[in-house]
Amino acid sequence: MSQITSASVNGMARPNTQKQRRSELIEATLQAGSAHGLRSLSLTDVAKRAGLTRGALLYYFDDLDSLLVEAHRAGTERYCDLRDEAVAAQSSYAAKLRTAIDAGLPSGPDDTLMRLLYEFDFMTGTSALHDELVQKMYLRQFATYRAILGDGHAAGEFTVRGDIDQAAMNLVALEDAYGLHIVGGNSLITVDAARTAMLGFCEQIGCGVTEDAAAERD
């Protein structure tokens, strides 16, 4: 990440430069939040990470809360966009579903972005904007699973038993619950165990993901 200097705030920044600087500060917030945790994060931590003074940082954002909201938004979009891109690259619905599960679970206890997103979830109730972002995150998670299940069912690749919306809700709930255990360091819930359990649920509702995986290996 390029360093921001206090000289960049002398006078009025040009629109494109200001947008770039704000993006760099949001990235610095995500990095500092991962290093320090959101509860103890300060403007000084972010400014130090970005190579700025506190005063220079406040040229771009009114306060730490406004910066955290934008970091929350950026983290959510990064997570959801990357997953949707990976899902879209798959040809079969079984592969799409496996990919969605793999990309939705943390890579392990040291997955800094996922840990940060869970920390942002705990900020629900402190700000209407954080509440809105948590809801948007859920809606995007739900939409990803709902589209795969619904389209796979319509194409005849899946035979979803029960209500598709409820099945998608359950996948989001499993993803969030297992993910929280993983980033929390619960050794009883590993990434592999969580993935196997979610794939097992898919089999139970009529989505033959493991059968398709075996066919691809052949």
Side-chain angles (χ1 to χ4, degrees):
M1 182 185 70
S2 61
Q3 292 292 300
I4 308 170
T5 65
S6 57
S8 66
V9 296
N10 290 331
M12 181 62 71
R14 290 175 296 183
N16 287 342
T17 302
Q18 189 171 29
K19 182 177 180 180
Q20 179 184 346
R21 294 294 185 254
R22 286 173 63 90
S23 296
E24 291 172 343
L25 283 171
I26 290 168
E27 182 64 29
T29 304
L30 291 171
Q31 293 179 7
S34 297
H36 299 280
L38 293 181
R39 293 182 181 180
S40 61
L41 186 67
S42 68
L43 276 174
T44 300
D45 295 326
V46 178
K48 186 179 297 184
R49 178 75 59 164
L52 272 178
T53 64
R54 277 172 53 97
L57 187 153
L58 290 171
Y59 175 85
Y60 296 99
F61 291 93
D62 293 336
D63 51 31
L64 180 60
D65 287 341
S66 63
L67 186 51
L68 285 175
V69 166
E70 291 307 314
H72 189 174
R73 192 191 315 277
T76 296
E77 290 176 353
R78 181 180 304 177
Y79 162 84
C80 293
D81 289 348
L82 287 174
R83 170 152 76 169
D84 288 346
E85 288 172 9
V87 168
Q90 306 304 315
S91 56
S92 72
Y93 289 104
K96 289 177 184 292
L97 189 49
R98 289 196 308 277
T99 298
I101 290 171
D102 288 342
L105 290 170
S107 60
D110 57 349
D111 190 322
T112 54
L113 177 58
M114 290 297 290
R115 184 187 298 115
L116 204 58
L117 289 177
Y118 281 114
E119 283 198 64
F120 277 125
D121 282 350
F122 288 117
M123 298 182 73
T124 303
T126 64
S127 158
L129 287 173
H130 281 300
D131 294 352
E132 179 184 345
L133 288 168
V134 168
Q135 291 172 10
K136 284 185 176 180
M137 173 78 164
Y138 167 77
L139 289 173
R140 286 201 62 176
Q141 289 173 282
F142 174 82
T144 295
Y145 282 120
R146 177 62 178 80
I148 297 171
L149 297 181
D151 293 347
H153 183 82
E157 188 174 330
F158 297 151
T159 305
V160 181
R161 293 187 285 272
D163 185 84
I164 292 178
D165 284 353
Q166 288 183 2
M169 287 176 62
N170 284 333
L171 282 169
V172 174
L174 289 171
E175 178 176 282
D176 286 345
Y178 288 136
L180 188 57
H181 280 286
I182 291 168
V183 298
N186 182 353
S187 61
L188 299 177
I189 306 293
T190 64
V191 177
D192 286 342
R195 181 179 188 273
T196 299
M198 290 186 70
L199 291 175
F201 172 75
C202 293
E203 292 284 342
Q204 293 166 21
I205 63 172
C207 302
V209 283
T210 55
E211 181 178 325
D212 183 77
E216 287 184 359
R217 285 195 296 271
D218 294 338

